[in-house]
Amino acid sequence: MQKNYYSRRTNAHSIPVALLLPLAILAIPALYPAATQQQSAAKPLTTSSLDSHDGLTVAADPWLSAERYKPTFPKKSPYGAGVLAIKMSFRNDSDDSIKIGLARIRLNLTLDENNRQELPALNSEQLADAVLHPKLKGTSKPRIPLPIPTSPGGRDKHWEEYKKLAEDAGLHASVVAPHSSIEGLLYFDLQNQFDLLQNARLYIPDLTALEKNRDLMYFDIDLSHPASR
């Protein structure tokens, strides 16, 4: 926004400085209300990997350090349990509402030329199981393919609290209204094999423009070469 500078070279002796400052502050929003709102609506996405088409911009930011998790998970971190969180942002600049098939989103991992796997995202219950019921020390962890963690029991008060924490931070809205955005975390159990992200892509195949009842092109976001992490 252009800065406004006020001079006291003329008539400075007739108008007290104490009155000039409040008038200047009041004048700024009166002159530029529309510009301020447009800047807020068009705020750029901060991300590691980004793609855009059909009026939809998708940003994916993998959290690859323990520090990234502390504000959201101050006590027990998914990262410490081998689970990767990806901060997702969907910005809809079109005139149609866009529905996202969250259940069909996959983290595609390439282990070698003949070995690939598609990992579904964990829901809040599965994440709570993975974090609060770790495997016993001394037992070897299975390599990829990775099982979805389950728990035979022990879902106490702490488990319920963690489940709610994961759900509140997670990506659970499935419809992006026109000219608006949604964001939240997706969780993938990599069992501490975070090096697999060197050959990873985030696949989002199920997108629909609701008013036009039209399927949109899928997103296939490369996570192996992010701009910053």
Side-chain angles (χ1 to χ4, degrees):
M1 179 182 294
Q2 181 178 357
K3 293 185 178 179
N4 295 280
Y5 297 91
Y6 294 87
S7 173
R8 289 183 288 151
R9 289 181 301 175
T10 60
N11 297 329
H13 60 280
S14 61
I15 302 178
V17 175
L19 294 178
L20 285 173
L21 292 177
L23 289 174
I25 294 172
L26 290 173
I28 292 174
L31 290 173
Y32 302 104
T36 302
Q37 291 175 3
Q38 286 183 350
Q39 183 179 8
S40 177
K43 183 178 179 181
L45 297 174
T46 302
T47 180
S48 290
S49 302
L50 181 146
D51 195 5
S52 180
H53 58 73
D54 293 318
L56 181 65
T57 300
V58 180
D61 182 15
W63 288 4
L64 289 174
S65 67
E67 289 74 18
R68 297 290 303 274
Y69 294 79
K70 287 182 179 179
T72 307
F73 301 95
K75 294 183 179 180
K76 288 185 176 293
S77 170
Y79 189 76
V83 176
L84 172 72
I86 301 179
K87 179 67 173 293
M88 300 298 304
S89 300
F90 294 83
R91 189 180 69 197
N92 181 8
D93 296 317
S94 74
D95 296 327
D96 292 324
S97 299
I98 296 178
K99 183 178 181 180
I100 308 165
L102 299 180
R104 295 188 61 192
I105 296 177
R106 296 291 185 269
L107 181 62
N108 289 344
L109 305 173
T110 301
L111 309 181
D112 54 52
E113 293 182 359
N114 300 315
N115 193 357
R116 295 177 174 85
Q117 186 176 358
E118 299 180 355
L119 285 185
L122 303 179
N123 59 34
S124 57
E125 292 185 359
Q126 293 166 342
L127 179 64
D129 286 343
V131 174
L132 300 182
H133 298 277
K135 298 182 183 298
L136 295 176
K137 292 182 179 180
T139 59
S140 59
K141 290 187 175 182
R143 303 293 294 180
I144 298 292
L146 301 172
I148 294 177
T150 59
S151 171
R155 293 179 172 181
D156 56 10
K157 175 184 177 182
H158 299 290
W159 185 92
E160 292 290 346
E161 291 174 350
Y162 198 91
K163 172 180 172 293
K164 185 179 186 306
L165 189 66
E167 187 172 353
D168 290 343
L171 180 65
H172 42 74
S174 60
V175 176
V176 193
H179 306 287
S180 66
S181 61
I182 62 173
E183 62 180 21
L185 297 176
L186 291 177
Y187 311 104
F188 296 93
D189 187 9
L190 292 180
Q191 297 187 3
N192 286 309
Q193 299 177 62
F194 298 109
D195 59 312
L196 292 174
L197 286 180
Q198 296 175 4
N199 295 289
R201 307 184 74 91
L202 192 67
Y203 182 52
I204 308 171
D206 189 2
L207 298 160
T208 305
L210 294 180
E211 283 77 8
K212 295 180 181 178
N213 193 25
R214 178 172 65 92
D215 292 336
L216 303 181
M217 182 180 176
Y218 64 86
F219 281 81
D220 187 22
I221 301 176
D222 186 2
L223 300 179
S224 63
H225 301 290
S228 63
R229 290 185 180 178

